[in-house]
Amino acid sequence: MVSGMDVSHDRVDLVIVGGGMVGVALACALAPTGLSIRILESRDGSPQSLIDALPELSAEGFDPRVSALTCASQQFLTHVGAWSRMQAARICPYTDMSVWDGRGRGAIQFSAAELHEPCLGHIVENRVTLAALYAAMQEIDTIRFQPGAKIKSVSPPDTQGIRTLRLAGGESLSTALLVGADGAHSRIRAMTGMGATEWDYGHHAIVTTIETELPHRSTCWQRFTEDGPLALLPLADPSERKLSIVWSTSPSHARELMALDENAFCAELGHTFEYRLGQVLSCDTRHLHPLRQRHAQRYVQAGLALVGDAAHTIHPLAGQGVNLGLLDAAALAEVLIDARDRGEAPGDERVLRRYQRMRRADNLQTAAAMEGFRRLFDDLPAPIRLLRSSGMSLVNRLAPVKQHLMLMAMGLRGEVPRLARRP
């Protein structure tokens, strides 16, 4: 080997940077194209290590990171071969949702029975979803997963539209299409000059698993307080007393809550939740996450696309973040499959703009709706609070409006990518 030269140089059709749920789901969805795919993941550890560890991890407790997966996400995960594996591990369908104004009398009750559906969605631990996707991925010969990959640079596209990535170990990798699926702090977005608009929500989220005195009854609960929303999400526990919480509140209040011991935190949580499930008996280790909204100014360039949190992040109050990312993956896979059938190059910017048209406006609309909803529940003057509560109660009585909202939230209405549509 000559000193100073690359350790190796490979050429693949598609490189996905980020081995999380969205990146791996995209790779699995593209299996029919026959494209050679490399997934670069910065963290160490093989996919098999998570698959092997999952039973023991599940026996020890619940992953504090969970997602409220919609019917559209369920359909896409079924399409890529992950859903049956998730069912065999641990998922929790929820049939009802109870939302109320903590500073008024307004409340909305959603029920799957009103739609003649078996459930509104599923609460699933992120590691369960990821392990299932890893297992599906390992059955596809055209995908190679590379852990511990640190990217040093990304070149602009050459005259043939090829980009070259250089890794910390000296390896270089050329590809016709680079996909950034590397999260909110995406290095791919930064390295390629894909600007993003972002701002601080003024909220921090406390996430943990709790046990309550009364069973959750397969219901998601959300109370809007003057400081932010508090959500309790049911988990697949035989006693139905385990729930995951996402408590979004001001940074100062979040720090105060994090400083409490377990008993004091449980008491404060029970009080804030108005004891809807009785006393909070215990909680696991608490995790604190600052909340920021980000949106890439564009999702694509020649030979480059952003998906998931690399393209957008939103407030977790409606649990739509992962679902939007999976819809990005479904849309991009649809575009690339159709491009292959037409004989078009996957990195052609005209091809990638179809994906951007499918997803950017929808993601912006969802982000704007979440921001408007969040501001609606700020500490507002009493007359506006009264109108807010009255409006919630009115919607609760208008069955067609409520059913439309439920169907949209479930991904059963609106422009849904083909791979995520129910047959």
Side-chain angles (χ1 to χ4, degrees):
M1 183 179 296
V2 178
S3 176
M5 294 185 65
D6 288 337
V7 173
S8 66
H9 182 93
D10 286 340
R11 168 76 183 271
V12 295
D13 297 319
L14 171 63
V15 172
I16 299 173
V17 178
M21 293 182 284
V22 173
V24 177
L26 172 62
C28 292
L30 288 171
T33 64
L35 294 170
S36 58
I37 301 172
R38 183 80 61 88
I39 300 176
L40 303 179
E41 169 55 46
S42 61
R43 292 171 296 184
D44 293 320
S46 70
Q48 190 61 44
S49 64
L50 175 59
I51 296 170
D52 293 341
L54 187 62
E56 183 177 348
L57 291 171
S58 296
E60 291 174 354
F62 289 88
D63 187 348
R65 300 167 305 159
V66 305
S67 299
L69 297 177
T70 64
C71 294
S73 291
Q74 176 185 345
Q75 181 59 37
F76 182 49
L77 291 165
T78 299
H79 177 81
V80 299
W83 188 255
S84 60
R85 293 176 165 95
M86 294 161 63
Q87 289 178 304
R90 186 163 66 187
I91 65 176
C92 182
Y94 62 93
T95 58
D96 295 86
M97 183 178 295
S98 180
V99 181
W100 71 100
D101 184 352
R103 301 198 69 192
R105 296 183 178 181
I108 304 178
Q109 309 295 325
F110 298 102
S111 175
E114 296 178 44
L115 301 173
H116 306 288
E117 292 283 342
C119 64
L120 297 175
H122 294 79
I123 306 300
V124 188
E125 298 156 82
N126 286 6
R127 66 189 177 204
V128 168
T129 304
L130 188 57
L133 284 164
Y134 280 164
M137 175 192 72
Q138 291 187 147
E139 295 183 350
I140 302 171
D141 294 337
T142 52
I143 302 174
R144 178 184 164 191
F145 189 96
Q146 186 172 338
K150 306 293 192 293
I151 299 170
K152 290 182 66 177
S153 65
V154 178
S155 76
D158 64 16
T159 54
Q160 282 78 44
I162 304 299
R163 292 176 183 266
T164 299
L165 292 81
R166 296 192 180 277
L167 308 185
E171 179 185 1
S172 64
L173 189 61
S174 295
T175 184
L177 176 58
L178 171 63
V179 175
D182 51 340
H185 303 287
S186 171
R187 283 179 54 91
I188 294 302
R189 188 181 66 224
M191 285 180 168
T192 56
M194 300 279 274
T197 301
E198 63 178 275
W199 63 89
D200 195 321
Y201 277 119
H203 278 172
H204 287 185
I206 297 174
V207 177
T208 188
T209 302
I210 64 167
E211 183 176 7
T212 57
E213 182 181 5
L214 301 176
H216 54 60
R217 306 192 300 278
S218 299
T219 300
C220 289
W221 311 79
Q222 188 162 53
R223 179 188 185 229
F224 283 90
T225 76
E226 60 271 22
D227 287 324
L230 167 61
L232 274 70
L233 310 174
L235 295 172
D237 173 63
S239 71
E240 293 194 0
R241 289 178 169 82
K242 294 282 191 178
L243 301 100
S244 178
I245 75 159
V246 182
W247 191 346
S248 302
T249 187
S250 66
S252 59
H253 187 218
R255 287 190 291 269
E256 291 171 5
L257 292 171
M258 290 293 290
L260 298 175
D261 63 26
E262 180 181 346
N263 289 336
F265 177 79
C266 289
E268 185 64 23
L269 175 59
H271 172 74
T272 303
F273 193 60
E274 299 178 351
Y275 304 105
R276 295 283 177 113
L277 296 176
Q279 300 287 339
V280 178
L281 304 179
S282 65
C283 76
D284 290 350
T285 302
R286 285 161 269 164
H287 304 269
L288 186 64
H289 304 282
L291 301 180
R292 293 183 67 83
Q293 178 163 322
R294 299 174 180 84
H295 210 111
Q297 292 161 7
R298 52 180 175 161
Y299 289 7
V300 301
Q301 292 179 359
L304 173 67
L306 302 177
V307 295
D309 284 356
H312 49 79
T313 59
I314 63 171
H315 199 286
L317 68 87
Q320 288 298 308
V322 170
N323 294 300
L324 294 180
L326 290 173
L327 290 180
D328 289 349
L332 182 55
E334 177 183 324
V335 164
L336 294 177
I337 290 169
D338 290 347
R340 179 219 40 193
D341 294 342
R342 297 188 184 105
E344 298 171 319
D348 188 325
E349 190 168 0
R350 291 171 298 178
V351 169
L352 297 175
R353 282 177 182 161
R354 296 171 198 153
Y355 154 68
Q356 179 170 273
R357 286 194 296 271
M358 288 175 70
R359 294 300 305 147
R360 193 167 187 272
D362 184 58
N363 289 333
L364 278 169
Q365 183 178 1
T366 303
M370 293 306 100
E371 176 66 7
F373 207 55
R374 184 188 71 82
R375 290 180 181 273
L376 180 63
F377 286 90
D378 278 346
D379 190 13
L380 299 171
I384 298 179
R385 293 203 305 270
L386 178 61
L387 285 172
R388 179 179 69 198
S389 286
S390 299
M392 289 182 72
S393 298
L394 177 62
V395 169
N396 195 50
R397 293 193 298 271
L398 295 174
V401 174
K402 192 164 65 165
Q403 289 172 7
H404 176 75
L405 291 173
M406 283 192 284
L407 289 168
M408 290 293 291
M410 295 165 70
L412 298 178
R413 286 272 175 88
E415 295 297 322
V416 179
R418 184 173 69 237
L419 303 184
R421 289 181 207 147
R422 181 182 289 178

